[in-house]
Amino acid sequence: MSTGKESYTLSEEIKDTSMGKPHVVILGAGASIAATPMGDRNGKKLPSMANFVEILNLQPIFNTFGISYQRGNNFETLYASIANDPDAKDAAQAIEKSVEDYFRSLCLPEEANVYDRLVLSLRSKDLIATFNWDPFLYMACYRNRHVANLPNVVYLHGNVATAYCLEHKKKSVPGAHCSVCQKPLTASKLLFPINKKDYVSDPYINAEWNALQSFLKSAYLITIFGYGAPSSDLEAVDLMKKAWGHTYDRALEQTEIIDIRDSDELADLWSPFIHSHHYDVCADFDESWLAKHPRRTCEAAWQQYMECQFLNQNPLPKTDDLEILQKWVHELVEHENE
């Protein structure tokens, strides 16, 4: 497929918006932790499933309801056992309220961070699908909405920043009203028992999953960022696999994994989404296609892997000044609007 050229110039990349296939980015808790390593705007930490109980201070609730807990136990596994117990309904409701209150209290730091860089690195043809409950992705989209056409976003486990009107397919923030029927929007559900996460029965969650599956079917590039689903959410992985299809049918596509774990372990973990050697692993967002070739990820990947071209990087500036980051994107956006 090589064109015989020695390289795909930076100028060519900036002007190239030819790829219609989407870039799909799937986010797990590791993405939010990477975006807020010092905590949110007020220093509140993002939990992992291993330290979830400690960070959210759920021990008093466990004590009240006589729930046995050992430090380091996986929260989702523990919650599943509580939610599936008919006699523990009050405990489950108390936990759910505490979780919702904590995540609703979080606020994105004022400085530019990974989420700002992420939403500005993709176009309206692309999709971000997040499993995270925190409002950071929503906040990043909101404060960058005037800069460029941003990617589509779906919340696969619900989110504290979203509410919906199923009848008229409207999505906004909790407390808002449907623009059609004027009825209050319904807040999305957050917690699902891990051993039976029924994504189909909840209409809002089902719609979000349908959107992800639709994008995955036509995606050229997928990035999995800080997400450890294979060991904790088999139903989610199965739904994505069905949409992605067999790896034999994905001979042209590329898979990228952003994670701090061992690269061989990650490649094995995500092998159902990898055709042969068509994958990249990096431990840091700044080493990803998103950061090195923002808003041109699919075009650049195609030139490198299918046309065998040498690429010059066009990396996002490493700055915590949001205004500088937003201004840098302008040249790329101008060519998209032509």
Side-chain angles (χ1 to χ4, degrees):
M1 291 186 181
S2 174
T3 61
K5 290 175 55 183
E6 293 184 358
S7 66
Y8 176 63
T9 68
L10 184 57
S11 176
E12 287 176 313
E13 177 177 321
I14 290 172
K15 296 176 182 177
D16 189 359
T17 60
S18 61
M19 177 65 81
K21 287 181 173 293
H23 184 165
V24 172
V25 180
I26 299 168
L27 303 180
S32 287
I33 293 171
T36 56
M38 305 305 294
D40 80 336
R41 188 175 299 185
N42 300 307
K44 287 189 173 182
K45 294 290 187 179
L46 264 292
S48 67
M49 287 302 131
N51 64 11
F52 200 94
V53 173
E54 289 74 26
I55 288 183
L56 269 70
N57 192 29
L58 296 177
Q59 189 66 59
I61 295 177
F62 293 169
N63 293 341
T64 298
F65 292 97
I67 298 170
S68 177
Y69 169 76
Q70 291 185 347
R71 189 179 184 87
N73 285 358
N74 183 282
F75 170 74
E76 284 191 311
T77 303
L78 179 62
Y79 171 76
S81 67
I82 297 169
N84 293 328
D85 183 354
D87 296 328
K89 183 178 180 180
D90 290 343
Q93 290 178 344
I95 292 170
E96 290 162 8
K97 184 179 186 307
S98 183
V99 169
E100 182 176 338
D101 289 346
Y102 186 85
F103 280 90
R104 198 178 296 281
S105 73
L106 298 174
C107 192
L108 195 67
E110 293 181 0
E111 299 79 16
N113 59 68
V114 167
Y115 273 136
D116 295 299
R117 298 159 73 77
L118 171 62
V119 300
L120 289 173
S121 71
L122 296 166
R123 310 206 301 266
S124 58
K125 70 177 180 64
D126 304 316
L127 176 82
I128 302 174
T130 179
F131 285 91
N132 299 332
W133 298 324
D134 64 72
F136 297 155
L137 178 59
Y138 176 87
M139 291 176 173
C141 288
Y142 186 80
R143 72 186 189 185
N144 289 289
R145 69 193 187 284
H146 65 288
V147 179
N149 291 324
L150 301 181
N152 300 274
V153 176
V154 293
Y155 300 94
L156 304 176
H157 277 182
N159 190 272
V160 294
T162 63
Y164 64 95
C165 173
L166 185 65
E167 181 181 358
H168 299 108
K169 295 181 173 59
K170 299 296 181 180
K171 183 166 62 175
S172 186
V173 295
H177 291 69
C178 174
S179 59
V180 179
C181 65
Q182 302 304 315
K183 294 179 181 178
L185 299 180
T186 302
S188 61
K189 183 180 178 181
L190 299 185
L191 288 171
F192 297 82
I194 191 173
N195 58 339
K196 55 173 184 179
K197 289 187 177 177
D198 188 356
Y199 296 125
V200 177
S201 63
D202 185 285
Y204 170 71
I205 299 299
N206 184 45
E208 301 291 90
W209 273 97
N210 286 340
L212 170 59
Q213 290 177 307
S214 177
F215 271 84
L216 277 175
K217 288 176 181 177
S218 59
Y220 172 64
L221 208 167
I222 61 171
T223 296
I224 302 160
F225 185 5
Y227 175 50
S231 62
S232 64
D233 195 349
L234 297 179
E235 183 176 348
V237 177
D238 186 55
L239 287 171
M240 290 189 289
K241 281 170 57 179
K242 288 179 179 178
W244 184 245
H246 200 288
T247 55
Y248 291 158
D249 299 321
R250 292 290 189 166
L252 302 181
E253 287 79 3
Q254 192 74 12
T255 300
E256 176 180 57
I257 306 165
I258 308 174
D259 204 297
I260 61 174
R261 288 175 289 176
D262 177 76
S263 60
D264 291 335
E265 174 190 349
L266 291 166
D268 182 63
L269 204 59
W270 289 103
S271 59
F273 297 85
I274 297 172
H275 175 82
S276 182
H277 58 286
H278 290 203
Y279 72 96
D280 300 288
V281 176
C282 55
D284 188 275
F285 177 84
D286 286 336
E287 297 302 315
S288 69
W289 282 94
L290 295 154
K292 291 181 177 179
H293 303 278
R295 306 187 73 81
R296 304 293 185 269
T297 52
C298 291
E299 289 85 356
W302 179 271
Q303 289 294 328
Q304 176 167 306
Y305 294 118
M306 295 296 106
E307 303 293 347
C308 302
Q309 297 298 302
F310 175 80
L311 302 185
N312 295 286
Q313 296 178 10
N314 188 35
L316 288 165
K318 294 183 178 181
T319 177
D320 62 1
D321 188 314
L322 184 58
E323 186 176 352
I324 290 176
L325 179 64
Q326 292 172 339
K327 286 182 178 179
W328 186 90
V329 174
H330 285 171
E331 182 181 5
L332 294 168
V333 175
E334 286 176 0
H335 288 288
E336 295 162 23
N337 294 333
E338 288 178 354

